[in-house]
Amino acid sequence: MKWIQRGQRFLAVAMIMGWVLVFPVVQAAPAPVAPAPANSPARPKLLPPQAPATAAFIKGVRTHANADAFRIVLDMTAIPAFTVNAVEMPLQMEIELPDTVNQTPSTQLSFNDPFVENLRFVDLGGGRFKAVVSLKLPVAPKVSVMSSPTRLVIDLLKNYASKNEYVIAPGVVYRELIKGRPEGPVKSHVLEVDLKSGYALKPVLSNDSVVGTETLSEMAGRVDGVAMINGPYYMRNGEILGLMKIDRTLVSTPDIPRTSIGVTQQGKLVFDAPGFSGYIEMPDKSRIPIDGINRARGQSELILYNTYYAFWTLTSGGGTEYIVRDGRIVEIREDNSVIPDGAVVLSASGRTAWIMSGLKAGDRIKVIQTLGPVWDEIVHAVSAGPCLVKNGEIYVTTLGEEFGSDVAGGRAPRTAIGVTKEGKALLVVVDGRRRHSVGLTLLELAQFMLEQGAVEAMNLDGGGSSQMIIGRQIVNEPSDGRERRLGAGIAVIRTTNAK
């Protein structure tokens, strides 16, 4: 897409330092030279041009720092024409001061500041002189000149904000937000989707199955969607941790009820923490609980597998598997059964397998799966958590949803999803663990979602998983330095009414 330049990093300094600032000094024009009289003797050869006389001296340096800015003041005898340049690697600001001499006792000053490393004076010879400010984090510089007394003032602003907005399609707006904070800059990506304009949200499994992982770009390549973000937590083998529902079929179930987003038949978004209840009813009316859906079977468990899992159940002995179609057992196997279309496989082990051992092919059993009356009607669902915003207020449920420090601790790359009071979807990715963006805490993320207009919002998988793709283009910078292989994502798809 033409509206995004791939690979271009934004530094806060780009607001000023992205340009080369040139401050000219008016110089007197050279005096005209009288013509030589006729028959005059030849002029002697001129000597090579000499370096111009020194124009300015740096007599002193003073600094002042607070939470909002770091100020460097150069006391000078004169201010030459100077330029300000930004350098990204290493991160620094260079002020070229031609024909300048440093008369202070030091050529380098180091600072105990979270944003500014040091100031160095570099004499390059031939009248070339630089003042170099090495930075730990991006800043927004403001350079000004005072005439009485003569001073060059360099303000390095820590608190700043910028916003770029692009209309991706009718009803779909992408915003890139950058904000300087005392803890460091934060770069956020917000996709606002008007679901009434012909769009819907839908979970997408890696490789179109639970087992296995792939990058978000690979998932996006199979989906005719507008955009994608990463979604739920997952195991290394791709198994989804928590609730997932696709086209009314349960793909995964939660061990702990955690905040989930659901998509109704009308395309509206709802948020809650539904629990799962499942069981099979035997021919004698006794019930055996279902321990999970589409995950590895443990000891003395009953796991239900459907075609979202894989081609096989991938079990390895120690159990019995019942292939059930339309409420009737059509085949019984020991392990690693093929999962037929239109059927489920009930895989039992340990005591559960012993209880079911009397079943035979042809027996009728009932398979019950429910999330409750409201969520049973939900078409698509994804859980992650914790909750961030509820009823228009910050409501972070880290402890209640039993999250540890790997999710709740410190600033990190974050992904979140929410809905506005107008029913628009908000898909958010925050860069982190980068010099240009330090990330957000969960509380800061909740505040950010409120600022974007969310009345309901939840956290999704973050860290190196945090990623946003628009079209086929990655718009954020994954903290791993590359795309991570994921278990699933959430796509913005066009409906039949999309423009």
Side-chain angles (χ1 to χ4, degrees):
M1 294 184 179
K2 293 182 179 179
W3 51 272
I4 299 177
Q5 297 179 5
R6 181 70 186 104
Q8 180 183 27
R9 298 181 181 176
F10 181 95
L11 291 175
V13 292
M15 291 188 290
I16 295 179
M17 294 173 62
W19 308 318
V20 177
L21 306 186
V22 181
F23 296 80
V25 173
V26 178
Q27 298 180 350
V33 179
N39 299 322
S40 61
R43 293 181 179 178
K45 292 183 178 180
L46 297 177
L47 295 175
Q50 301 297 308
T54 298
F57 295 93
I58 299 176
K59 308 293 288 186
V61 179
R62 288 174 292 136
T63 63
H64 175 73
N66 57 34
D68 297 320
F70 189 95
R71 169 170 285 189
I72 300 173
V73 179
L74 303 183
D75 293 315
M76 304 182 68
T77 59
I79 307 294
F82 63 89
T83 58
V84 180
N85 299 299
V87 178
E88 186 175 346
M89 293 296 291
L91 186 62
Q92 61 188 31
M93 182 178 72
E94 299 179 350
I95 305 173
E96 296 187 14
L97 298 160
D99 307 323
T100 298
V101 172
N102 172 32
Q103 289 190 333
T104 67
S106 302
T107 59
Q108 177 170 317
L109 298 173
S110 297
F111 309 116
N112 183 21
D113 185 86
F115 283 72
V116 185
E117 182 82 36
N118 58 53
L119 168 67
R120 292 176 288 121
F121 295 124
V122 182
D123 189 346
L124 302 174
R128 297 181 61 203
F129 181 90
K130 286 183 180 180
V132 180
V133 182
S134 296
L135 302 169
K136 301 175 185 176
L137 294 170
V139 296
K142 179 182 177 182
V143 182
S144 57
V145 174
M146 296 178 63
S147 57
S148 182
T150 304
R151 292 172 178 171
L152 186 68
V153 181
I154 306 163
D155 286 315
L156 307 173
L157 306 180
K158 303 173 184 179
N159 290 330
Y160 51 85
S162 72
K163 174 181 176 181
N164 292 312
E165 187 169 290
Y166 310 89
V167 177
I168 307 304
V172 182
V173 176
Y174 165 67
R175 294 191 291 270
E176 179 189 76
L177 306 172
I178 301 169
K179 186 172 184 178
R181 305 165 60 100
E183 307 82 12
V186 175
K187 185 175 183 179
S188 308
H189 310 266
V190 180
L191 194 69
E192 184 179 271
V193 182
D194 185 354
L195 300 173
K196 298 175 184 177
S197 295
Y199 302 96
L201 302 185
K202 184 177 182 178
V204 177
L205 287 169
S206 65
N207 306 290
D208 291 327
S209 65
V210 169
V211 175
T213 59
E214 64 180 349
T215 65
L216 199 65
S217 292
E218 291 170 325
M219 294 183 220
R222 297 195 314 276
V223 179
D224 182 23
V226 176
M228 284 192 75
I229 58 172
N230 65 291
Y233 304 109
Y234 61 98
M235 301 285 285
R236 287 189 176 183
N237 68 348
E239 290 181 7
I240 305 302
L241 296 174
L243 171 65
M244 178 174 282
K245 191 176 185 182
I246 299 178
D247 293 326
R248 297 184 182 275
T249 298
L250 282 170
V251 176
S252 179
T253 51
D255 293 328
I256 301 171
R258 286 175 168 167
T259 303
S260 306
I261 180 173
V263 182
T264 69
Q265 179 66 40
Q266 296 75 31
K268 295 182 179 180
L269 304 182
V270 295
F271 292 78
D272 205 345
F276 167 74
S277 176
Y279 61 89
I280 64 169
E281 186 176 278
M282 303 280 279
D284 63 359
K285 305 301 182 182
S286 63
R287 295 179 178 182
I288 300 175
I290 296 173
D291 296 295
I293 294 178
N294 291 333
R295 64 168 174 81
R297 186 193 67 202
Q299 292 295 320
S300 295
E301 284 193 325
L302 177 61
I303 302 298
L304 182 148
Y305 295 98
N306 57 40
T307 51
Y308 279 110
Y309 184 68
F311 188 75
W312 299 277
T313 59
L314 303 178
T315 52
S316 56
T320 306
E321 298 187 334
Y322 302 85
I323 301 172
V324 180
R325 186 190 302 273
D326 298 328
R328 187 183 297 275
I329 299 173
V330 296
E331 186 178 356
I332 301 176
R333 296 175 57 88
E334 289 186 0
D335 56 62
N336 200 25
S337 302
V338 172
I339 307 172
D341 290 338
V344 298
V345 178
L346 297 172
S347 183
S349 65
R351 177 174 173 78
T352 303
W354 179 78
I355 295 173
M356 297 175 64
S357 61
L359 292 171
K360 60 185 181 300
D363 284 349
R364 299 195 68 85
I365 60 174
K366 290 182 180 179
V367 180
I368 305 299
Q369 308 169 66
T370 181
L371 299 172
V374 174
W375 283 76
D376 283 347
E377 298 302 314
I378 292 295
V379 178
H380 309 301
V382 174
S383 76
C387 178
L388 299 172
V389 177
K390 188 176 180 66
N391 296 325
E393 297 182 353
I394 291 177
Y395 189 75
V396 181
T397 55
T398 306
L399 295 178
E401 297 188 29
E402 300 183 28
F403 283 104
S405 59
D406 57 332
V407 172
R411 289 184 181 82
R414 302 286 184 182
T415 303
I417 192 165
V419 65
T420 69
K421 65 179 180 181
E422 297 83 10
K424 296 180 180 180
L426 294 172
L427 286 69
V428 171
V429 169
V430 179
D431 286 337
R433 299 174 188 157
R434 293 280 194 175
R435 178 173 276 187
H436 75 276
S437 184
V438 298
L440 293 176
T441 66
L442 286 177
L443 184 59
E444 290 168 345
L445 181 63
Q447 180 62 47
F448 181 79
M449 295 301 289
L450 269 185
E451 293 169 359
Q452 301 308 305
V455 293
E456 303 284 339
M458 61 179 281
N459 182 59
L460 295 171
D461 190 15
S465 298
S466 289
Q467 191 176 336
M468 178 181 288
I469 289 179
I470 298 178
R472 297 293 181 267
Q473 188 169 344
I474 304 168
V475 298
N476 74 306
E477 294 189 42
S479 64
D480 290 349
R482 54 180 172 78
E483 286 192 79
R484 179 178 289 185
R485 299 183 70 83
L486 308 174
I490 300 175
V492 179
I493 60 173
R494 298 177 178 85
T495 65
T496 54
N497 298 322
K499 298 178 182 179

